[in-house]
């Protein structure tokens, strides 16, 4: 199954590049900073006895390193969550819901649909869940006829636009069950690679 | 303590060996992937193996390596070090074992005290989980203030305590002198009261129930 023409191919390539950037962050700066935090631990163990100022300085240094690593993780998650690549939409979305203390339910058993469709569906869902973290949204993911089909039940119909933003570049489509209701069901179709 | 290391990032691997030695541990093996570590540990004894999750054999070679080590050396402790602390991997780790096992962020073991404490607890048979991850797993949805463990009946709390000690339903039944069916009913009530619903597997719910209990015991639920 291929994406719709040149347009879709370029969108697919963009998603692959995003995934590649996350890997570079992990294998490059993140690993380098983690290694530094260990070297710092060695220095701290060797600190002269009774020199509290020295130790305290090193502790502050270690805290700063941990904060930088957390910021790198946050950036990586906004580029392409590594769990999405490694385990698919189900685990990645459940992790997102758990980390943000949300109440959404995710049903995506074992679905794999390629870097682009999974990336687009993930960020479309993330944007909808971020709009109202306390909403008990039902997220359902399936693959049918060469498309990843994402169904979001219990969302504001106005979120149609943010889902469209992710689906259109891949040549996908979005439907809303009842645009006048307070909460409705949005169904998006993303072509698989 | 005798420790073995498998990590594919050279800088981190070197740093880890330096810190382990500064903490007074004996590093008996250092490898850049899981397969060579399994081979070396076939002849060299170790108390705890430190494993990166994302390393060869890819993509999550640390987990495959741990399964093989656990099968060959059931008494060897396993400590996973990763750049990410995620419940998805914690569940997979707990499927490998729920004792002598740990999962921590790479930068959080960056002191002699924390590293040695983590290793000692694992060698003693405990399970050590990155605190931030354990907290996130048992956090209640916003707006629910009550400690869910306090809603359990006395008998349900007894059952949960035995679950936390790693007992099976049969083991709990014989300890409490009740039928297996009764234990199953208590366990279902516990899952229900702790808000662990049927969209996760029984094994995962059991682990989450235990984590909730442990947090409640520590008073930071």
């Amino acid at each position: 199954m291929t994406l719709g023409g040149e347009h879709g191919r370029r969108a697919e390539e963009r998603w692959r590049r995003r995934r590649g950037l996350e890997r570079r962050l992990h294998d490059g700066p993140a690993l380098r900073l983690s290694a530094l935090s260990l070297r710092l631990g060695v220095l701290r163990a060797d600190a002269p006895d009774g020199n509290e100022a020295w130790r305290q300085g090193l502790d502050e240094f270690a805290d700063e390193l941990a904060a930088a690593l957390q910021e790198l993780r946050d950036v990586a998650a906004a580029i392409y969550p590594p769990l999405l690549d490694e385990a698919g939409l189900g685990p990645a979305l459940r992790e997102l819901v758990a980390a943000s203390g949300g109440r959404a339910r995710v049903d995506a058993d074992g679905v794999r649909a390629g870097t682009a469709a999974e990336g687009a569906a993930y960020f479309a869902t993330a944007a909808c869940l971020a709009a109202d973290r306390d909403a008990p949204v039902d997220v359902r993911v399936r693959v049918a006829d060469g498309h990843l089909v994402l169904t979001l039940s219990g969302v504001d119909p106005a979120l149609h636009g943010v889902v469209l933003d992710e689906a259109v570049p891949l040549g996908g489509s979005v439907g809303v069950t009842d645009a006048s209701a307070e909460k409705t069901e949005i169904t998006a179709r993303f072509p698989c690679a | 303590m005798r420790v073995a290391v498998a990590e594919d990032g050279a800088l981190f691997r070197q740093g880890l060996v330096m810190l382990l030695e500064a903490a007074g541990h004996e590093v008996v093996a250092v490898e850049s992937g899981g397969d060579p570590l399994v081979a070396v540990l076939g002849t060299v004894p170790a108390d705890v193996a430190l494993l990166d999750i994302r390393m060869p054999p890819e993509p999550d070679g640390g987990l495959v390596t741990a399964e093989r080590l656990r099968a060959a050396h059931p008494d060897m402790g396993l400590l996973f070090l990763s750049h990410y602390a995620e419940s998805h991997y914690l569940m997979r780790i707990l499927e490998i074992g729920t004792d002598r096992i740990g999962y921590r962020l790479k930068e959080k073991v960056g002191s002699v005290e924390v590293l040695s404490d983590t290793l000692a607890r694992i060698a003693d048979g405990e399970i050590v989980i990155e605190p931030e991850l354990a907290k996130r797993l048992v956090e209640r949805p916003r707006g629910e203030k009550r400690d869910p463990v306090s809603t359990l009946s006395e008998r349900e709390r007894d059952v949960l305590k035995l679950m936390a000690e790693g007992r099976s339903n049969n083991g709990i039944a014989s300890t409490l002198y009740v039928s297996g069916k009764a234990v199953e009913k208590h366990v279902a009530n516990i899952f229900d009261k702790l808000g662990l619903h049927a969209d996760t597997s029984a094994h995962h719910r059991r682990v989450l129930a235990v984590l909730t209990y442990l947090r409640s015991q520590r008073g930071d639920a």
Side-chain angles (χ1 to χ4, degrees):
Chain A
M1 201 61 62
T2 55
L3 292 172
E6 179 69 7
H7 223 58
R9 198 192 54 73
R10 289 220 306 273
E12 174 85 18
E13 185 50 39
R14 270 199 300 278
W15 280 106
R16 281 191 211 289
R17 221 165 27 232
R18 280 174 74 154
R19 189 186 57 184
L21 279 175
E22 183 281 321
R23 287 191 183 156
R24 278 175 62 190
L25 282 180
H26 175 270
D27 297 342
L31 203 58
R32 202 176 277 279
L33 292 180
S34 306
L36 263 184
S37 70
L38 299 180
R39 300 287 295 272
L40 208 57
V42 176
L43 272 183
R44 195 182 179 284
D46 289 341
D49 275 340
N51 194 336
E52 266 317 302
W54 179 281
R55 264 170 210 274
Q56 206 180 333
L58 292 179
D59 285 347
E60 282 166 17
F61 208 148
D63 289 345
E64 282 299 309
L65 272 180
L69 280 161
Q70 187 51 47
E71 284 167 9
L72 275 178
R73 277 190 280 268
D74 295 343
V75 171
I79 296 174
Y80 203 94
L83 195 57
L84 180 58
D85 184 34
E86 287 160 19
L89 274 166
L93 286 172
R94 277 190 208 105
E95 203 78 41
L96 176 73
V97 171
S100 59
R103 294 167 61 205
R105 284 179 297 269
V106 179
D107 168 12
D109 272 347
V111 170
R112 295 309 314 247
T115 305
E118 289 182 353
Y122 176 89
F123 284 102
T125 308
C128 290
L129 296 182
D132 181 2
R133 295 233 176 263
D134 294 331
V137 176
D138 273 308
V139 182
R140 190 159 169 272
V141 184
R142 292 290 181 269
V143 171
D145 306 326
H147 285 71
L148 187 164
V149 183
L150 168 71
T151 312
L152 301 163
S153 307
V155 293
D156 184 337
L159 291 168
H160 164 255
V162 301
V163 180
L164 209 57
D165 286 345
E166 297 292 353
V168 165
L170 286 178
S173 60
V174 181
V176 180
T177 304
D178 182 356
S180 62
E182 193 183 329
K183 296 286 182 192
T184 188
E185 187 170 279
I186 296 178
T187 302
R189 294 166 59 82
F190 305 85
C192 299
Chain B
M1 203 176 294
R2 294 166 303 181
V3 295
V5 173
E7 155 71 55
D8 62 342
L11 273 176
F12 189 81
R13 191 169 64 234
Q14 288 158 12
L16 193 53
V17 171
M18 288 170 71
L19 189 63
L20 285 164
E21 286 174 345
H25 301 295
E26 185 191 350
V27 182
V28 296
V30 185
E31 300 294 341
S32 59
D35 291 344
L37 188 77
V38 172
V40 171
L41 292 179
T43 53
V44 177
D47 300 306
V48 179
L50 287 77
L51 308 166
D52 186 14
I53 292 182
R54 260 189 181 184
M55 71 170 174
E58 308 271 4
D60 36 29
L63 297 171
V64 184
T65 304
E67 277 169 9
R68 294 169 64 194
L69 288 176
R70 187 49 50 120
H73 318 282
D75 291 338
M76 188 184 292
L78 301 168
L79 172 57
F80 294 89
L81 295 176
S82 176
H83 176 50
Y84 292 100
E86 292 180 304
S87 54
H88 173 73
Y89 285 113
L90 176 62
M91 295 309 165
R92 296 200 47 195
I93 287 166
L94 295 178
E95 278 161 15
I96 296 168
T98 48
D99 65 326
R100 289 174 203 280
I101 209 156
Y103 178 25
R104 299 217 59 179
L105 281 173
K106 283 180 167 175
E107 75 269 21
K108 293 293 168 70
V109 293
S111 84
V112 163
E113 293 82 4
V114 174
L115 183 60
S116 289
D117 177 65
T118 300
L119 290 172
R121 286 171 58 196
I122 291 170
D124 280 350
E126 277 189 51
I127 166 168
V128 182
I129 299 166
E130 186 62 40
E132 188 52 41
L133 175 60
K135 179 163 162 258
R136 194 200 306 164
L137 277 176
V138 297
E139 221 149 53
R140 296 174 293 288
R142 262 185 304 280
E144 291 173 35
K145 290 275 180 285
R146 223 150 37 126
D147 174 4
V149 173
S150 70
T151 66
L152 300 181
S153 72
E154 201 172 326
R155 183 37 67 97
E156 284 161 1
R157 212 177 296 204
D158 292 340
V159 170
L160 183 55
K161 181 167 176 291
L162 291 167
M163 283 165 71
E165 289 169 7
R167 312 265 184 114
S168 66
N169 283 4
N170 285 338
I172 294 171
S174 61
T175 308
L176 297 179
Y177 301 106
V178 296
S179 71
K181 272 244 171 322
V183 172
E184 277 172 34
K185 196 158 173 288
H186 288 312
V187 171
N189 285 342
I190 292 167
F191 287 165
D192 198 41
K193 287 188 181 174
L194 299 186
L196 305 169
H197 297 297
D199 58 346
T200 42
S201 78
H203 176 83
H204 290 181
R205 281 191 286 169
R206 204 173 177 92
V207 169
L208 291 173
V210 166
L211 287 170
T212 308
Y213 174 76
L214 294 176
R215 259 172 57 74
S216 167
Q217 289 308 100
R218 287 205 313 263
D220 53 359

